[in-house]
């Protein structure tokens, strides 16, 4: 008798868990379609965004982290530079800009910053775009404001 009391709740828990897992695969597919639509509307290039950030982290000494967003013909990259390398911010920014100009075609406008707040803002924007959050108009408005703030 004790055995049936134990197995019934266990079966119930397993049944609930298996039902939850079955529903999960459908959600990313719908979100992916919505995200792809936003990418097309705003001209977001996720592959180039990820490539430029990882390339800069690997090639440029002093860059601890980088986040990049490519929308249309604008490449915006924010750099995290810590420690003694913070004394070389201007040189690091120039080196990144020149490396990106060399690697990318001339049709792209390069925006580079080492500002901590703009790093967070660009990181937040990238997360929102990747998750399909926000309207295309709001995303573009935020992106343009970040680019404007990069140039003072």
């Amino acid at each position: 008798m004790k055995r049936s009391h134990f197995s019934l709740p266990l079966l119930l828990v397993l049944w609930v868990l298996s039902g939850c897992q079955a529903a999960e695969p459908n959600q990313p597919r719908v979100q992916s379609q919505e995200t792809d639509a936003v990418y097309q509307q705003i001209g977001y290039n996720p592959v180039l965004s990820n490539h430029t950030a990882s390339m800069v982290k690997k090639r440029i000494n002093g860059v601890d982290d980088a986040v990049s967003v490519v929308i249309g013909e604008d490449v915006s990259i924010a750099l995290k530079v810590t420690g003694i390398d913070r004394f070389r911010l201007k040189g690091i920014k120039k080196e990144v800009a020149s490396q990106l100009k060399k690697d990318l075609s001339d049709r792209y406008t390069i925006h580079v910053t080492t500002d901590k707040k703009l790093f967070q803002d660009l990181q937040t924007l990238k997360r929102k775009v990747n998750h399909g959050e926000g309207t295309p108009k709001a995303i573009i408005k935020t992106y343009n404001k970040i680019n404007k703030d990069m140039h003072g």
Side-chain angles (χ1 to χ4, degrees), residues 45-113:
N45 187 333
V47 173
L48 189 56
S49 295
N50 293 331
H51 173 73
T52 54
S54 65
M55 184 269 305
V56 165
K57 283 190 281 189
K58 289 177 187 173
R59 289 189 190 172
I60 309 296
N61 280 341
V63 175
D64 298 323
D65 198 7
V67 61
S68 176
V69 176
V70 179
I71 294 180
E73 296 179 354
D74 288 303
V75 177
S76 301
I77 187 160
L79 312 171
K80 186 179 280 186
V81 180
T82 58
I84 198 155
D85 292 316
R86 295 224 24 106
F87 290 111
R88 303 184 315 112
L89 289 179
K90 200 177 254 186
I92 290 172
K93 282 171 48 175
K94 284 182 181 179
E95 185 178 353
V96 168
S98 104
Q99 185 69 45
L100 289 176
K101 284 179 184 172
K102 189 169 38 171
D103 289 348
L104 302 173
S105 69
D106 290 335
R107 73 181 186 123
Y108 289 103
T109 304
I110 311 292
H111 307 275
V112 182
T113 187

